[in-house]
Structure formats: structure tokens, C-alpha cells
Amino acid sequence: MLNKFKIGTKLIAGFFLILLLLGVVAVFGFWGLSQSAKATAKVTVVTDIQLGILKICGLTQDARLVATYGVLYRTEKYRTDRAKIDQEIEEMHKNIEPLFQNKDLKETLNEIKQVLDRMLVSYQGFVEKDEKWYEIERTRKERLTVLVEKAEFIVKKLGDLTTNIV
């Protein structure tokens, strides 16, 4: 059957057959690359969210440690340190929030978002309790200072009274 075609026609047909195969390979290659790019984008979004959540978890632990330091040493520095941590957590939350808008991962990200929201609500409860504790400690410290001043005054008066008696 191929004998009835001239050599030039056979060469041209072969060339076009190779071009057709090249086109098919190129289409499948491009399709595979685009699928790979989409999968990589999804993995990147999930990884970014995981890193953000881990950072928030770490900052939450730091806040608890700072609060413990504040309990032990009752300084204003701890409150400043915790305020910095609160700000970092807020920034991380703002950075993560847009990542949840990915339409391809909506179902998966919904569950993760619920966990993140519960974690942030829990941390907010910790902050509120910590603020109440700080206010109680401040009041206690003020009253203790007044008590010490009154005790010093009484001791001084007793000392003066003893001196006058002798």
C-alpha cells in the first residue's frame, strides 16, 4: 500500500506524523505540569497554614511562660512581654486568614479554621484571666504598700513613745 506513494509524500507524511506525536506529547506534558502546579499550590497553602498555627501555638506557650514569670517576679516587664506576644499572635492570625479563602481546599480548610478559631478563643480567655490576675496583683501590691507604711508609722510612733518614757 505504501508503494504507490512517492518518496517525497512518504517523507512529508512521516514529518507530519512526528509533528502530530510531538503535539500530543506537548499537550499531555503541559497538562501534567499544570496539574503539578495546582497540587503544589494546594500543598503550599496547607503548609503555610500549618506553620502559622504552629507559630501561634508557640507564642501561646511563650505567653504562658511569661505569665508564670510575672507570677514569680511581679514585674511590669512581663506585661510588656505578653503584649508583644499578643501582637505577634494577632499578626500571624492576619497572615493566615487569607489562606483560608482557597476554593480548592475549602472543605479541608474549614476544619482547620474551626480548630484555629477555638484555639484563639481559648487564648483570649487566658488573656482575660491574666489581666484579671494582674489587676488583683496590682491592688494587692498597693494595699501591701499602704500596710507597710502604716506599720512603719506605728513602729516609729512606738519608738518615739519609748524614747519619751525613758
Side-chain angles (χ1 to χ4, degrees):
M1 175 167 160
L2 288 177
N3 290 338
K4 55 183 176 174
F5 295 111
K6 294 181 184 180
I7 190 79
T9 308
K10 290 178 188 177
L11 285 173
I12 291 173
F15 179 73
F16 280 116
L17 183 63
I18 296 293
L19 279 179
L20 178 67
L21 288 173
L22 181 65
V24 169
V25 168
V27 166
F28 279 110
F30 182 74
W31 178 78
L33 284 175
S34 67
Q35 292 301 316
S36 176
K38 287 179 185 176
T40 302
K42 289 178 184 179
V43 168
T44 301
V45 166
V46 171
T47 302
D48 289 347
I49 289 172
Q50 288 173 334
L51 289 174
I53 289 174
L54 286 174
K55 174 93 172 163
I56 289 173
C57 286
L59 289 169
T60 302
Q61 292 304 317
D62 288 351
R64 287 189 169 92
L65 288 173
V66 165
T68 302
Y69 175 84
V71 169
L72 295 175
Y73 298 103
R74 303 185 201 290
T75 63
E76 188 66 30
K77 180 183 181 314
Y78 110 88
R79 198 167 190 199
T80 309
D81 290 346
R82 212 216 56 236
K84 289 179 190 173
I85 291 171
D86 292 348
Q87 185 179 5
E88 285 183 50
I89 288 175
E90 186 62 33
E91 286 175 23
M92 284 305 301
H93 185 244
K94 285 179 184 175
N95 291 341
I96 291 173
E97 195 64 34
L99 298 175
F100 286 104
Q101 304 308 318
N102 188 310
K103 294 174 185 167
D104 297 333
L105 299 168
K106 195 143 190 112
E107 292 175 21
T108 305
L109 296 181
N110 253 352
E111 294 175 24
I112 296 172
K113 177 134 177 55
Q114 290 172 359
V115 170
L116 175 64
D117 289 344
R118 283 195 306 262
M119 188 171 75
L120 291 173
V121 165
S122 171
Y123 181 73
Q124 194 59 38
F126 161 76
V127 168
E128 289 170 6
K129 287 177 184 173
D130 194 44
E131 286 298 320
K132 286 179 187 174
W133 171 86
Y134 188 80
E135 192 59 36
I136 289 168
E137 280 301 306
R138 189 185 59 72
T139 305
R140 185 194 67 77
K141 189 176 183 179
E142 288 172 358
R143 289 180 181 168
L144 188 59
T145 303
V146 169
L147 182 65
V148 167
E149 288 172 355
K150 287 181 179 180
E152 287 173 349
F153 177 78
I154 290 171
V155 167
K156 183 181 178 200
K157 288 295 181 185
L158 283 174
D160 292 346
L161 185 64
T162 327
T163 307
N164 289 340
I165 293 178
V166 177

